[in-house]
Amino acid sequence: MAWGAWGQTRGGPVGALTLTALAEGIQANQGQTPGSSVLGRQPRHGLEPELDPKSVAAVPAPGCEAPEGPCQDPQSSREEGALADLGAYTAACLQEAGIVGTQATALTLPSAPEAQGQPLEAQVYALVSRLLAQVPSLAEGRPRRAALRVLSALAREHAREVVRALLRSSLSPDRAVAELWPSLSRNQCVNGQVLVQLLWALKDQAGRELEALAATRALGEMLAVSGCVGATRGFYPQLLLLLVTQLHQLARGVRAPGSPKVWGPWQRGPPPSQASCAVEALKALLAGDGGRMVVTCMEQAGGWRRLVGAHTHLEGVLLLASAMVAHADHHLRGLFANLLPQLRSPDDAQRLTAMAFFAGLLQSRPTARLLREEVILERLQAWQGDPEPTVRWLGLLGLGHLALDRGKVRHGSRLLPTLLGALGEGDARLVDAALGALGRLLRQPRAPVRLLSAQLGPWLPRLLDDARESVRASAVGLLGTLVRRGRGGLRVGLRGPLRKLVLQSVVPLLLRLQDPSRDAAESSEWTLARCDQALRWGLLEDTVTVAHYDSPEALSRICHCLVQRYPSHTPSFLSQTQGYLRSPQTPLRWGAAVLLGFLVHHTSPGRVHEDLLDSLLQDLGQLQSDPEPAVAAAAHASAQQVALLARAQAWPRRPGLLDLPLPLLRPGLWHRSPPPRPPPVYPNSPFQPRSVIGRWGCLGPECA
């Protein structure tokens, strides 16, 4: 092996004195006194003989090769020979170096590139690269630890060049090279500088995906070392935002095709991707700074899986923001301040990630108060004019979080126009977000119950019958929240708009108890319970029974209460039920037919116009040919009830006594009322279990 300018002494010892002489040679080349080395003139105490200076190759003058060889071109010898051979020679000396020798080399080697008189970056890079190439051949134990001390000393003075060289070597599957990052992270003097350089390497990853992959993996390995996260105090928010944004870019497919698999043969499992490396780095960053609960909450909620998904990344960001608000609020102010400039970034991934964090961090009242209410509202409402639905969705979520802050939204009516306008959006996410924000607004002490009841009237019927399950469930839940907030006024006869809203929604709520969507059915049961409590119907037990069992008796009592309490609304109840006879969902068609039969049965003659009865008979006649036998049977039984009501309404009315001649005043000739109508009988529902007789207070043999 040719040792070049740092030629090995033939027959000379290799060890601490060799490294000392090497260090003194470097200092002599810089014009320093050899005796000024930190090592000094320490005796060897018989461990090694005193080395003759002539036996150590002195450092040649700039531009010359080894003493044996001729003088070569200065540029080539300095760039390709001297510093590269210095790395190899240093590695060879480290095989038998003592602690004193390695300390001397560690302190003087960083100044060697300056002695060469060449561009600093290229010289340090060449030196570290050659030294790293020799690390795998070093024996484990003291030689490798000595090499790491030398690298740490170089990193202290030339962190950027050392990190560049390490990133290039990190792509190799060698275990010795992979151990360099954790070793650097344990050095409190250099780990902060190395982390900063890795941060810049990630920021400047355009067109350098391989280096970004190595930097992401290196970050995870360094941050996993206990105590290393403390070195990120000055740039913790920037690092967190950068890792989350990188996950968004990877989820959107912004990476070079055919990225290599950085995976060593000593490691188990599948090779990691850049996304998995970023997730591990993010976990280590959070857990190392007291955010272990954030990591746990993300795992339980599926947040990490959402973060790496192409269509769910922003949901993961929102979950991360919520977890940090709950368990890691000491970084929220710095994070909030750092994301504000990114809200106007031209890069979509960076801008959307910042928007999601902005909307999520508004859940923290101290963080939201960093900006004035007018500034936040103006920004969020401006997002509603963006052509991108995702931006409008994030704006609505932000308004919903802002509505929770009592100190911010002093006038909830300022949010109503924006939130109500979003109810007509075609994207279910936007409608759900608007309904959720309205629900949060109703939790305020001075919630605009009357105003919202009046303005929600045109929207609610359509939302209750929306084809999207999540929208139906959210709309029903909003109505229940509205009734709960206004129940005091409903009990004393006030809240006219709210009372009207409840009466026009009671039929859809009863039918939605049979909704195929479990969320919509449970939400309807909860809302009906709130209506029963506010309006004092006394039908809570019957409502629960109808929700969970096939109980015609309970449904009959509910219909009797509605018809008797609100006789003027009976035609509206019947018309609404008629509309569900054409529902594409079989359980709703069956429920509408049964509900219609009981409503008609309890309706007094003369309350319904003949045209409505004819229309009901026509639709029920068509429903009798339904492919589901239970639906056809229910339609037949309800059609009989409509026919009986029509016959009762056509029953001759008893005329006044003065209008009749005396022969017609015989007793028994005129009946006071039509004969009683028998109740409808329906077959068992194929969609719900039959209620046990006597379980809900019904009379039967089991009750005896």
Side-chain angles (χ1 to χ4, degrees):
M1 183 179 203
W3 295 95
W6 311 97
Q8 187 181 23
T9 304
R10 299 178 181 178
V14 177
L17 288 182
T18 307
L19 286 173
T20 304
L22 175 64
E24 291 177 350
I26 295 173
Q27 291 179 340
N29 190 48
Q30 293 178 283
Q32 302 177 11
T33 304
S36 63
S37 169
V38 294
L39 185 61
R41 298 291 184 178
Q42 302 180 13
R44 300 296 103 198
H45 301 289
L47 295 179
E48 292 185 12
E50 189 73 25
L51 189 64
D52 185 3
K54 295 180 180 180
S55 64
V56 180
V59 180
C64 294
E65 186 58 33
E68 303 88 356
C71 196
Q72 298 179 357
D73 180 69
Q75 295 295 332
S76 60
S77 64
R78 290 165 186 161
E79 292 183 6
E80 300 177 1
L83 266 296
D85 288 343
L86 171 60
Y89 185 63
T90 303
C93 294
L94 291 174
Q95 287 284 3
E96 299 180 8
I99 182 64
V100 178
T102 54
Q103 285 179 347
T105 305
L107 291 174
T108 54
L109 194 59
S111 60
E114 299 178 4
Q116 292 298 305
Q118 294 299 315
L120 189 63
E121 296 82 1
Q123 296 295 339
V124 175
Y125 183 83
L127 173 60
V128 177
S129 299
R130 191 60 184 270
L131 185 59
L132 290 176
Q134 301 298 323
V135 168
S137 62
L138 294 176
E140 294 187 5
R142 189 175 65 181
R144 285 193 182 179
R145 291 195 299 270
L148 291 173
R149 284 195 294 271
V150 173
L151 284 176
S152 298
L154 284 169
R156 188 182 306 177
E157 300 292 335
H158 314 289
R160 182 172 179 269
E161 290 73 24
V162 171
V163 168
R164 280 186 54 206
L166 284 174
L167 289 178
R168 180 64 59 89
S169 301
S170 296
L171 296 177
S172 67
D174 192 274
R175 179 191 297 189
V177 177
E179 292 175 351
L180 295 176
W181 295 110
S183 301
L184 287 175
S185 66
R186 296 185 183 95
N187 191 327
Q188 301 297 326
C189 298
V190 300
N191 55 7
Q193 301 178 50
V194 173
L195 287 173
V196 169
Q197 295 303 323
L198 290 176
L199 175 65
W200 282 107
L202 283 179
K203 283 187 175 181
D204 190 23
Q205 64 176 330
R208 300 177 1 185
E209 288 78 9
L210 298 181
E211 184 175 341
L213 172 59
T216 305
R217 186 181 179 188
L219 271 174
E221 293 174 352
M222 290 191 66
L223 294 174
V225 176
S226 177
C228 184
V229 177
T232 65
R233 290 299 179 192
F235 52 92
Y236 186 99
Q238 295 95 319
L239 184 56
L240 188 144
L241 277 174
L242 185 62
L243 288 173
V244 177
T245 303
Q246 185 189 41
L247 285 173
H248 195 182
Q249 293 170 343
L250 294 173
R252 293 162 65 98
V254 184
R255 63 177 179 178
S259 298
K261 298 179 180 180
V262 187
W263 201 240
W266 66 91
Q267 294 170 304
R268 299 179 180 178
S273 63
Q274 188 171 350
S276 64
C277 292
V279 169
E280 293 304 319
L282 193 56
K283 289 181 180 179
L285 181 65
L286 292 167
D289 196 53
R292 294 187 181 275
M293 280 302 299
V294 177
V295 178
T296 302
C297 291
M298 288 288 288
E299 290 175 352
Q300 293 177 348
W304 303 119
R305 175 176 49 82
R306 286 184 169 88
L307 273 177
V308 299
H311 303 289
T312 59
H313 171 79
L314 296 179
E315 298 176 10
V317 175
L318 292 168
L319 287 174
L320 178 60
S322 299
M324 293 187 68
V325 168
H327 304 290
D329 57 349
H330 52 290
H331 283 300
L332 296 186
R333 294 196 173 205
L335 186 61
F336 194 77
N338 277 275
L339 64 86
L340 289 178
Q342 299 184 13
L343 294 176
R344 304 184 186 277
S345 172
D347 182 72
D348 289 342
Q350 191 175 29
R351 179 171 53 89
L352 291 176
T353 300
M355 285 180 171
F357 261 121
F358 183 85
L361 294 182
L362 290 178
Q363 299 174 85
S364 169
R365 293 182 182 178
T367 304
R369 289 170 184 169
L370 294 176
L371 294 177
R372 292 183 293 110
E373 173 189 351
E374 292 76 12
V375 175
I376 298 178
L377 284 177
E378 180 182 357
R379 187 181 298 272
L380 294 177
Q381 290 176 345
W383 292 0
Q384 299 309 304
D386 195 282
E388 177 64 35
T390 301
V391 176
R392 301 198 299 272
W393 170 60
L394 292 174
L396 291 171
L397 291 177
L399 290 174
H401 294 154
L402 193 65
L404 293 174
D405 191 353
R406 301 178 182 179
K408 274 291 181 186
V409 184
R410 296 183 295 270
H411 305 288
S413 58
R414 296 182 58 183
L415 301 178
L416 285 183
T418 302
L419 298 178
L420 291 173
L423 297 180
E425 290 278 2
D427 194 332
R429 297 181 305 166
L430 277 70
V431 182
D432 288 335
L435 291 171
L438 290 171
R440 294 186 181 95
L441 189 61
L442 288 173
R443 298 190 182 102
Q444 297 294 334
R446 289 183 163 184
V449 176
R450 185 179 182 86
L451 179 61
L452 182 57
S453 301
Q455 297 187 3
L456 195 61
W459 295 100
L460 192 59
R462 287 181 288 175
L463 295 174
L464 294 178
D465 294 332
D466 197 280
R468 298 162 291 191
E469 297 180 358
S470 61
V471 173
R472 293 200 304 271
S474 300
V476 173
L478 177 62
L479 177 60
T481 304
L482 191 61
V483 172
R484 185 175 61 177
R485 291 288 288 122
R487 63 178 179 268
L490 287 172
R491 288 177 179 176
V492 297
L494 302 177
R495 309 284 189 194
L498 180 56
R499 182 176 180 272
K500 180 180 179 181
L501 196 64
V502 170
L503 292 180
Q504 75 177 11
S505 305
V506 64
V507 168
L509 291 176
L510 286 172
L511 292 176
R512 287 299 167 187
L513 294 175
Q514 318 295 329
D515 198 297
S517 171
R518 182 176 179 180
D519 291 340
E522 292 179 352
S523 186
S524 298
E525 180 183 358
W526 180 82
T527 300
L528 281 172
R530 304 285 79 75
C531 295
D532 175 83
Q533 182 183 17
L535 295 173
R536 298 181 179 181
W537 291 339
L539 299 173
L540 180 59
E541 184 177 322
D542 294 324
T543 301
V544 175
T545 305
V546 172
H548 297 278
Y549 297 97
D550 175 26
S551 178
E553 298 84 3
L555 184 59
S556 178
R557 288 192 289 270
I558 293 175
C559 293
H560 180 266
C561 175
L562 294 177
V563 169
Q564 296 300 319
R565 283 197 175 212
Y566 313 106
S568 61
H569 288 78
T570 300
S572 176
F573 294 156
L574 294 175
S575 298
Q576 285 182 299
T577 309
Q578 182 184 10
Y580 287 91
L581 296 177
R582 307 181 186 90
S583 173
Q585 299 173 348
T586 304
L588 288 183
R589 294 199 305 274
W590 178 87
V594 174
L595 180 62
L596 187 61
F598 283 117
L599 287 173
V600 171
H601 172 70
H602 293 290
T603 299
S604 301
R607 294 289 184 183
V608 184
H609 198 271
E610 293 182 0
D611 294 339
L612 179 57
L613 293 178
D614 293 339
S615 177
L616 292 175
L617 279 175
Q618 181 179 0
D619 287 348
L620 289 171
Q622 296 177 357
L623 196 61
Q624 294 181 32
S625 58
D626 194 273
E628 175 61 44
V631 175
H636 176 72
S638 297
Q640 291 179 342
Q641 292 297 316
V642 176
L644 290 175
L645 179 60
R647 185 181 305 172
Q649 291 194 160
W651 193 266
R653 180 178 59 88
R654 180 177 182 180
L657 297 179
L658 299 179
D659 299 335
L660 294 176
L662 291 177
L664 295 179
L665 292 179
R666 296 193 307 267
L669 182 62
W670 296 96
H671 296 284
R672 293 181 178 270
S673 60
R677 291 169 286 162
V681 178
Y682 297 99
N684 296 342
S685 170
F687 312 107
Q688 283 183 314
R690 188 72 176 178
S691 62
V692 179
I693 298 178
R695 172 173 295 181
W696 302 105
C698 303
L699 296 178
E702 289 83 356
C703 296

